[in-house]
Amino acid sequence: MLKNLFRPRLRARIGDDLYAKAVAQARNVAFYTRLAVADRIDARFELYTLHVLLLVLRLRDENTAQGQETAQELFDVYVSALDHVLREEGVGDVAVGKKMRKLGEALYGRMTAYEPPLRAADADTLTEALARNVYGQDGGQDGAEHAAALAAYALTARANLAAQTFKAVQTTPAWPEV
C-alpha cells in the first residue's frame, strides 16, 4: 500500500526531468538566431510542443507499459506547466479553464499536424506545418527556408532518439545540433 502511495511521485519526477530536458533544448539560442524563430511566447510554445512530442513519440515507440506511462507523465507535466504559466501571467482562476481549453486545442492541433509527418519522415508536410505554426502565414521565403531547416532538425532528432535505448532517452536525449 505504501509503495503505491509514493509511486506517482517517482513517475512525476521522471516526467519533470524529461520536460526540463525538452525545454532546455527548445531554448537553444540557435533556434532563435540561426533558424529565426521569433523570441515570443507563442513561438516558444511551438518549440516546446515539438520537443515534447519528439520525446513522447520515442517513449511510446518503446511499446511497453513503462514507455506508455513515461510518455503520459511527460505529457501531463507539460500540460501542468502550461497551466502554471497562465497563473504566473496573472490569469484568474475563472479564466484559466477557458485559456487551458484553447491551449489544449492548440496543443492537440500541433501534435496532430506534426505526428504523421514525423512518423513517415515526410519533410515536405512537416515543413508546411512548421511554416504555418512557427513562422506564421506571412513568413515569406525566409520563413519557408527556416521551416525546412527546422523540419530537417526535427526529423534528425526523431532518428537520433529512435537510435537510443529507452534508458538513454530518459537520461540524456540525443538532440542534434541546430
Side-chain angles (χ1 to χ4, degrees):
M1 180 145 191
L2 287 176
K3 184 173 140 183
N4 290 337
L5 179 64
F6 294 109
R7 185 171 181 212
R9 186 167 242 184
L10 176 62
R11 285 189 358 216
R13 272 187 259 157
I14 291 169
D16 287 339
D17 189 47
L18 283 169
Y19 175 69
K21 287 175 168 95
V23 167
Q25 181 63 17
R27 288 181 176 165
N28 184 326
V29 71
F31 287 114
Y32 305 96
T33 56
R34 289 187 203 140
L35 298 184
V37 174
D39 190 11
R40 298 185 320 252
I41 195 164
D42 57 331
R44 280 177 272 157
F45 166 79
E46 298 296 342
L47 287 179
Y48 293 176
T49 300
L50 177 63
H51 285 86
V52 166
L53 177 61
L54 285 163
L55 283 175
V56 165
L57 290 176
R58 169 57 184 95
L59 296 167
R60 283 194 290 166
D61 287 347
E62 194 65 21
N63 288 324
T64 64
Q66 185 181 15
Q68 300 299 320
E69 289 173 9
T70 305
Q72 187 62 52
E73 287 300 324
L74 171 56
F75 183 79
D76 291 347
V77 168
Y78 184 40
V79 171
S80 178
L82 292 174
D83 180 84
H84 183 70
V85 166
L86 287 176
R87 292 177 191 280
E88 277 186 349
E89 292 292 319
V91 177
D93 286 338
V94 174
V96 165
K98 291 178 184 176
K99 297 263 186 193
M100 280 302 296
R101 183 172 160 253
K102 286 187 182 208
L103 275 174
E105 289 171 357
L107 180 59
Y108 177 75
R110 296 325 182 264
M111 291 186 161
T112 300
Y114 301 157
E115 183 174 355
L118 282 169
R119 287 197 180 279
D122 180 352
D124 292 338
T125 303
L126 185 58
T127 297
E128 289 173 16
L130 292 169
R132 181 177 56 252
N133 295 321
V134 177
Y135 296 98
Q137 297 289 22
D138 59 351
Q141 184 60 32
D142 286 343
E145 288 173 22
H146 292 304
L150 184 56
Y153 162 85
L155 292 171
T156 301
R158 172 104 168 113
N160 287 2
L161 292 169
Q164 283 189 286
T165 65
F166 180 71
K167 187 170 185 154
V169 169
Q170 289 182 298
T171 56
T172 51
W175 301 115
E177 290 290 318
V178 180

Coordinates of all heavy atoms in Angstrom, one line a residue, residues 68-131:
Q68 N 4.8 3.7 -22.3 CA 3.5 4.4 -22.3 C 3.3 5.3 -21.1 O 2.9 6.5 -21.2 CB 2.3 3.4 -22.4 CG 2.4 2.5 -23.6 CD 2.3 3.3 -25.0 OE1 1.6 4.2 -25.1 NE2 3.1 2.9 -25.9
E69 N 3.6 4.8 -19.9 CA 3.5 5.5 -18.7 C 4.4 6.8 -18.6 O 4.0 7.8 -18.2 CB 3.8 4.7 -17.5 CG 2.7 3.6 -17.2 CD 3.0 2.6 -16.1 OE1 4.1 2.9 -15.4 OE2 2.3 1.7 -15.9
T70 N 5.6 6.6 -19.1 CA 6.6 7.7 -19.1 C 6.2 8.8 -20.1 O 6.2 9.9 -19.8 CB 8.0 7.2 -19.4 OG1 8.3 6.1 -18.5 CG2 9.0 8.3 -19.3
A71 N 5.7 8.4 -21.2 CA 5.2 9.3 -22.2 C 4.0 10.1 -21.6 O 3.9 11.3 -21.8 CB 4.8 8.6 -23.5
Q72 N 3.1 9.4 -20.9 CA 2.0 10.1 -20.3 C 2.4 11.0 -19.2 O 1.9 12.1 -19.1 CB 1.0 9.1 -19.8 CG -0.3 9.7 -19.3 CD -1.1 10.4 -20.4 OE1 -1.4 9.8 -21.4 NE2 -1.5 11.6 -20.2
E73 N 3.4 10.6 -18.4 CA 3.9 11.5 -17.4 C 4.5 12.8 -18.0 O 4.3 13.9 -17.5 CB 4.9 10.8 -16.5 CG 4.3 9.7 -15.6 CD 3.4 10.3 -14.6 OE1 3.5 11.4 -14.1 OE2 2.4 9.6 -14.3
L74 N 5.3 12.6 -19.0 CA 5.8 13.8 -19.7 C 4.7 14.7 -20.2 O 4.8 15.9 -20.0 CB 6.8 13.3 -20.8 CG 7.3 14.4 -21.8 CD1 8.0 15.5 -21.0 CD2 8.1 13.8 -22.9
F75 N 3.7 14.1 -20.9 CA 2.6 14.9 -21.4 C 1.9 15.7 -20.3 O 1.6 16.8 -20.4 CB 1.7 14.1 -22.2 CG 0.6 14.8 -22.8 CD1 0.8 15.6 -24.0 CD2 -0.7 14.8 -22.2 CE1 -0.3 16.3 -24.5 CE2 -1.7 15.6 -22.8 CZ -1.5 16.3 -24.0
D76 N 1.6 14.9 -19.2 CA 0.9 15.5 -18.0 C 1.7 16.7 -17.4 O 1.1 17.7 -17.1 CB 0.7 14.5 -16.9 CG -0.4 13.4 -17.4 OD1 -1.1 13.6 -18.4 OD2 -0.5 12.4 -16.7
V77 N 3.0 16.5 -17.3 CA 3.9 17.6 -16.8 C 3.8 18.8 -17.7 O 3.7 20.0 -17.3 CB 5.3 17.1 -16.6 CG1 6.3 18.3 -16.3 CG2 5.4 16.1 -15.4
Y78 N 3.8 18.6 -19.0 CA 3.7 19.7 -20.0 C 2.4 20.4 -19.8 O 2.4 21.7 -19.8 CB 3.9 19.1 -21.4 CG 3.9 20.2 -22.5 CD1 4.6 21.4 -22.3 CD2 3.3 20.1 -23.7 CE1 4.6 22.4 -23.2 CE2 3.3 21.0 -24.6 CZ 4.0 22.2 -24.4 OH 4.0 23.2 -25.4
V79 N 1.3 19.7 -19.7 CA 0.0 20.4 -19.6 C 0.0 21.2 -18.3 O -0.5 22.3 -18.2 CB -1.1 19.4 -19.7 CG1 -2.4 20.0 -19.3 CG2 -1.2 18.8 -21.1
S80 N 0.6 20.6 -17.2 CA 0.6 21.3 -15.9 C 1.5 22.5 -16.0 O 1.1 23.6 -15.4 CB 1.2 20.3 -14.9 OG 1.3 20.9 -13.6
A81 N 2.6 22.5 -16.7 CA 3.4 23.6 -16.9 C 2.7 24.7 -17.7 O 2.9 25.9 -17.3 CB 4.7 23.2 -17.7
L82 N 1.9 24.4 -18.6 CA 1.1 25.4 -19.3 C 0.1 26.1 -18.4 O 0.0 27.3 -18.4 CB 0.3 24.7 -20.5 CG 1.1 24.2 -21.7 CD1 0.2 23.5 -22.7 CD2 1.9 25.4 -22.4
D83 N -0.5 25.3 -17.5 CA -1.4 25.8 -16.5 C -0.7 26.8 -15.6 O -1.1 27.9 -15.3 CB -2.1 24.7 -15.7 CG -3.0 25.2 -14.7 OD1 -4.2 25.5 -15.0 OD2 -2.6 25.3 -13.5
H84 N 0.5 26.4 -15.2 CA 1.3 27.2 -14.3 C 1.7 28.5 -14.9 O 1.7 29.6 -14.3 CB 2.6 26.4 -13.9 CG 3.5 27.1 -12.9 ND1 3.1 27.3 -11.6 CD2 4.7 27.6 -13.0 CE1 4.1 27.9 -11.0 NE2 5.0 28.2 -11.8
V85 N 2.1 28.5 -16.2 CA 2.5 29.7 -16.9 C 1.3 30.7 -16.9 O 1.5 31.9 -16.7 CB 3.0 29.4 -18.3 CG1 3.1 30.6 -19.2 CG2 4.4 28.7 -18.2
L86 N 0.1 30.2 -17.2 CA -1.1 31.0 -17.2 C -1.3 31.7 -15.9 O -1.5 32.9 -15.8 CB -2.3 30.2 -17.6 CG -2.4 29.8 -19.1 CD1 -3.7 28.9 -19.3 CD2 -2.5 31.0 -20.0
R87 N -1.1 30.9 -14.8 CA -1.3 31.5 -13.5 C -0.2 32.5 -13.2 O -0.5 33.6 -12.6 CB -1.3 30.4 -12.5 CG -2.6 29.6 -12.6 CD -2.7 28.4 -11.6 NE -3.7 27.5 -12.0 CZ -5.0 27.7 -11.7 NH1 -5.4 28.8 -11.1 NH2 -5.9 26.8 -12.0
E88 N 1.0 32.3 -13.6 CA 2.1 33.2 -13.4 C 1.9 34.5 -14.2 O 2.3 35.6 -13.8 CB 3.4 32.6 -13.9 CG 4.1 31.8 -12.8 CD 5.5 31.3 -13.3 OE1 5.9 31.5 -14.4 OE2 6.2 30.8 -12.4
E89 N 1.2 34.4 -15.3 CA 0.9 35.6 -16.2 C -0.3 36.4 -15.6 O -0.7 37.4 -16.1 CB 0.6 35.1 -17.6 CG 1.8 34.6 -18.4 CD 2.8 35.6 -18.6 OE1 2.5 36.8 -19.0 OE2 4.0 35.3 -18.5
G90 N -0.8 35.9 -14.5 CA -1.9 36.6 -13.8 C -3.3 36.3 -14.3 O -4.3 37.0 -14.0
V91 N -3.5 35.2 -15.1 CA -4.8 34.8 -15.5 C -5.6 34.3 -14.3 O -5.0 33.4 -13.5 CB -4.7 33.7 -16.6 CG1 -6.1 33.2 -17.0 CG2 -4.0 34.2 -17.8
G92 N -6.7 34.8 -14.1 CA -7.5 34.4 -12.9 C -8.1 33.0 -13.0 O -8.1 32.4 -14.1
D93 N -8.5 32.4 -11.8 CA -8.9 31.1 -11.8 C -10.1 30.8 -12.7 O -10.2 29.7 -13.3 CB -9.4 30.7 -10.3 CG -8.2 30.5 -9.4 OD1 -7.1 30.3 -9.9 OD2 -8.4 30.7 -8.2
V94 N -11.0 31.8 -12.8 CA -12.2 31.6 -13.7 C -11.7 31.5 -15.2 O -12.2 30.6 -15.9 CB -13.2 32.7 -13.5 CG1 -14.3 32.6 -14.5 CG2 -13.7 32.7 -12.1
A95 N -10.8 32.3 -15.6 CA -10.4 32.3 -17.0 C -9.4 31.2 -17.3 O -9.2 30.9 -18.5 CB -9.7 33.7 -17.3
V96 N -8.7 30.6 -16.3 CA -7.7 29.6 -16.6 C -8.3 28.4 -17.4 O -7.7 27.9 -18.3 CB -7.0 29.1 -15.3 CG1 -6.3 27.8 -15.5 CG2 -6.1 30.1 -14.8
G97 N -9.5 28.0 -17.0 CA -10.2 26.9 -17.7 C -10.4 27.2 -19.1 O -10.1 26.3 -20.0
K98 N -10.8 28.4 -19.4 CA -11.1 28.8 -20.8 C -9.7 28.8 -21.6 O -9.6 28.3 -22.7 CB -11.8 30.1 -20.9 CG -13.2 30.1 -20.5 CD -13.8 31.5 -20.5 CE -15.2 31.4 -20.0 NZ -15.8 32.8 -19.9
K99 N -8.7 29.4 -21.0 CA -7.4 29.5 -21.7 C -6.8 28.2 -21.8 O -6.2 27.9 -22.9 CB -6.5 30.4 -20.9 CG -7.0 31.9 -20.7 CD -6.3 32.7 -21.7 CE -6.7 34.2 -21.5 NZ -6.3 35.0 -22.6
M100 N -6.9 27.3 -20.8 CA -6.4 26.0 -20.9 C -7.1 25.2 -22.0 O -6.5 24.4 -22.7 CB -6.5 25.2 -19.6 CG -5.4 25.6 -18.6 SD -3.7 25.3 -19.2 CE -3.7 23.5 -19.4
R101 N -8.4 25.4 -22.2 CA -9.1 24.7 -23.3 C -8.5 25.1 -24.6 O -8.3 24.3 -25.5 CB -10.6 25.0 -23.2 CG -11.4 24.3 -24.2 CD -12.9 24.5 -24.0 NE -13.6 24.2 -25.2 CZ -14.2 25.1 -26.0 NH1 -14.2 26.4 -25.6 NH2 -14.8 24.7 -27.1
K102 N -8.3 26.4 -24.8 CA -7.7 26.9 -26.1 C -6.3 26.4 -26.3 O -5.9 26.0 -27.4 CB -7.7 28.4 -26.1 CG -9.1 29.0 -26.3 CD -9.1 30.5 -26.5 CE -10.5 31.0 -26.7 NZ -10.6 32.2 -27.5
L103 N -5.5 26.4 -25.2 CA -4.1 25.8 -25.3 C -4.2 24.4 -25.6 O -3.4 23.8 -26.4 CB -3.4 26.1 -24.0 CG -2.7 27.4 -23.9 CD1 -2.0 27.6 -22.5 CD2 -1.6 27.6 -25.0
G104 N -5.1 23.7 -25.0 CA -5.3 22.2 -25.2 C -5.6 21.9 -26.7 O -5.1 21.0 -27.3
E105 N -6.5 22.7 -27.2 CA -6.9 22.6 -28.6 C -5.7 22.9 -29.5 O -5.4 22.2 -30.5 CB -8.0 23.5 -29.0 CG -9.4 23.1 -28.4 CD -10.5 24.1 -28.5 OE1 -10.2 25.2 -29.1 OE2 -11.6 23.8 -28.1
A106 N -4.9 23.9 -29.2 CA -3.7 24.2 -30.0 C -2.7 23.1 -29.9 O -2.1 22.7 -30.9 CB -3.1 25.6 -29.5
L107 N -2.5 22.6 -28.7 CA -1.6 21.5 -28.4 C -2.0 20.3 -29.2 O -1.2 19.7 -29.9 CB -1.5 21.2 -26.9 CG -0.6 20.1 -26.5 CD1 0.9 20.4 -26.9 CD2 -0.7 19.9 -25.0
Y108 N -3.2 19.9 -29.2 CA -3.7 18.8 -29.9 C -3.6 19.0 -31.4 O -3.2 18.1 -32.2 CB -5.2 18.5 -29.6 CG -5.8 17.4 -30.4 CD1 -5.5 16.1 -30.0 CD2 -6.7 17.6 -31.4 CE1 -6.0 15.0 -30.8 CE2 -7.2 16.6 -32.2 CZ -6.9 15.3 -31.8 OH -7.4 14.2 -32.6
G109 N -3.8 20.2 -31.9 CA -3.7 20.5 -33.3 C -2.3 20.4 -33.8 O -2.0 19.8 -34.8
R110 N -1.3 20.9 -32.9 CA 0.1 20.7 -33.3 C 0.5 19.3 -33.4 O 1.2 18.8 -34.3 CB 1.0 21.5 -32.3 CG 0.9 22.9 -32.2 CD 0.6 23.6 -33.5 NE 0.5 25.1 -33.4 CZ -0.6 25.8 -33.2 NH1 -1.8 25.2 -33.1 NH2 -0.6 27.1 -33.1
M111 N 0.1 18.5 -32.4 CA 0.5 17.1 -32.3 C -0.1 16.3 -33.5 O 0.5 15.5 -34.1 CB 0.2 16.5 -31.0 CG 1.0 17.1 -29.9 SD 0.8 16.3 -28.3 CE 2.3 16.7 -27.4
T112 N -1.3 16.7 -33.8 CA -2.0 16.0 -35.0 C -1.3 16.4 -36.3 O -1.2 15.6 -37.2 CB -3.5 16.5 -35.0 OG1 -4.1 16.0 -33.8 CG2 -4.2 15.8 -36.2
A113 N -0.8 17.7 -36.4 CA -0.2 18.1 -37.6 C 1.3 17.6 -37.7 O 1.7 17.3 -38.8 CB -0.1 19.6 -37.6
Y114 N 2.0 17.4 -36.6 CA 3.4 17.0 -36.6 C 3.6 15.5 -36.6 O 4.5 15.0 -37.1 CB 4.1 17.6 -35.4 CG 4.1 19.1 -35.4 CD1 4.4 19.8 -34.2 CD2 3.9 19.9 -36.5 CE1 4.4 21.2 -34.1 CE2 3.9 21.3 -36.4 CZ 4.2 21.9 -35.2 OH 4.2 23.3 -35.2
E115 N 2.7 14.8 -35.8 CA 3.0 13.3 -35.6 C 3.1 12.5 -36.9 O 4.0 11.8 -37.2 CB 2.0 12.7 -34.7 CG 2.3 11.3 -34.4 CD 1.4 10.6 -33.3 OE1 0.6 11.3 -32.7 OE2 1.6 9.4 -33.1
P116 N 2.1 12.6 -37.8 CA 2.1 11.8 -39.1 C 3.4 12.1 -39.9 O 4.1 11.1 -40.3 CB 0.9 12.1 -39.8 CG -0.1 12.6 -38.8 CD 0.8 13.3 -37.8
P117 N 3.8 13.3 -40.2 CA 5.0 13.5 -41.0 C 6.2 13.1 -40.2 O 7.2 12.7 -40.9 CB 5.0 15.0 -41.3 CG 4.0 15.7 -40.4 CD 3.0 14.6 -40.0
L118 N 6.3 13.3 -38.9 CA 7.4 12.8 -38.2 C 7.5 11.3 -38.3 O 8.6 10.7 -38.5 CB 7.3 13.2 -36.7 CG 7.7 14.7 -36.4 CD1 7.3 15.0 -35.0 CD2 9.2 14.9 -36.6
R119 N 6.4 10.6 -38.1 CA 6.5 9.1 -38.2 C 6.8 8.6 -39.6 O 7.5 7.7 -39.8 CB 5.1 8.5 -37.8 CG 4.9 8.6 -36.3 CD 3.7 7.7 -35.9 NE 3.5 7.7 -34.5 CZ 4.2 7.1 -33.6 NH1 5.2 6.3 -34.0 NH2 3.9 7.2 -32.3
A120 N 6.4 9.4 -40.7 CA 6.6 9.0 -42.0 C 7.9 9.6 -42.6 O 8.2 9.3 -43.8 CB 5.4 9.4 -42.9
A121 N 8.6 10.4 -41.8 CA 9.8 11.1 -42.3 C 9.4 11.9 -43.5 O 10.2 12.0 -44.5 CB 10.9 10.2 -42.5
D122 N 8.3 12.6 -43.5 CA 7.8 13.4 -44.6 C 8.2 14.9 -44.4 O 7.5 15.6 -43.8 CB 6.3 13.3 -44.7 CG 5.6 14.1 -45.8 OD1 6.3 14.9 -46.5 OD2 4.4 13.9 -46.1
A123 N 9.3 15.2 -44.9 CA 9.9 16.6 -44.7 C 9.0 17.7 -45.3 O 8.9 18.7 -44.7 CB 11.3 16.7 -45.3
D124 N 8.4 17.4 -46.4 CA 7.6 18.5 -47.1 C 6.3 18.8 -46.2 O 6.1 20.0 -46.0 CB 7.1 18.1 -48.5 CG 8.3 18.0 -49.4 OD1 9.3 18.6 -49.2 OD2 8.2 17.2 -50.4
T125 N 5.6 17.8 -45.7 CA 4.4 18.1 -44.9 C 4.8 18.7 -43.6 O 4.1 19.6 -43.1 CB 3.6 16.8 -44.7 OG1 3.3 16.2 -46.0 CG2 2.4 17.0 -44.0
L126 N 5.9 18.2 -43.0 CA 6.3 18.8 -41.7 C 6.8 20.2 -41.9 O 6.4 21.1 -41.1 CB 7.5 17.9 -41.2 CG 8.0 18.3 -39.8 CD1 6.8 18.3 -38.7 CD2 9.1 17.4 -39.3
T127 N 7.4 20.5 -43.0 CA 7.9 21.9 -43.3 C 6.7 22.8 -43.4 O 6.7 23.9 -42.9 CB 8.7 21.9 -44.6 OG1 9.9 21.2 -44.4 CG2 9.0 23.4 -45.0
E128 N 5.6 22.4 -44.1 CA 4.4 23.2 -44.2 C 3.8 23.5 -42.9 O 3.4 24.6 -42.6 CB 3.4 22.5 -45.1 CG 3.7 22.4 -46.6 CD 2.8 21.5 -47.4 OE1 1.7 21.2 -46.9 OE2 3.2 21.1 -48.5
A129 N 3.7 22.4 -42.0 CA 3.1 22.6 -40.7 C 3.9 23.5 -39.8 O 3.4 24.4 -39.2 CB 2.9 21.3 -40.0
L130 N 5.2 23.4 -39.9 CA 6.1 24.2 -39.1 C 6.1 25.7 -39.6 O 6.1 26.6 -38.8 CB 7.5 23.7 -39.1 CG 7.7 22.4 -38.3 CD1 9.1 21.8 -38.5 CD2 7.4 22.6 -36.8
A131 N 6.0 25.8 -40.9 CA 6.0 27.2 -41.5 C 4.7 27.9 -41.1 O 4.8 29.1 -40.7 CB 6.0 27.1 -43.1

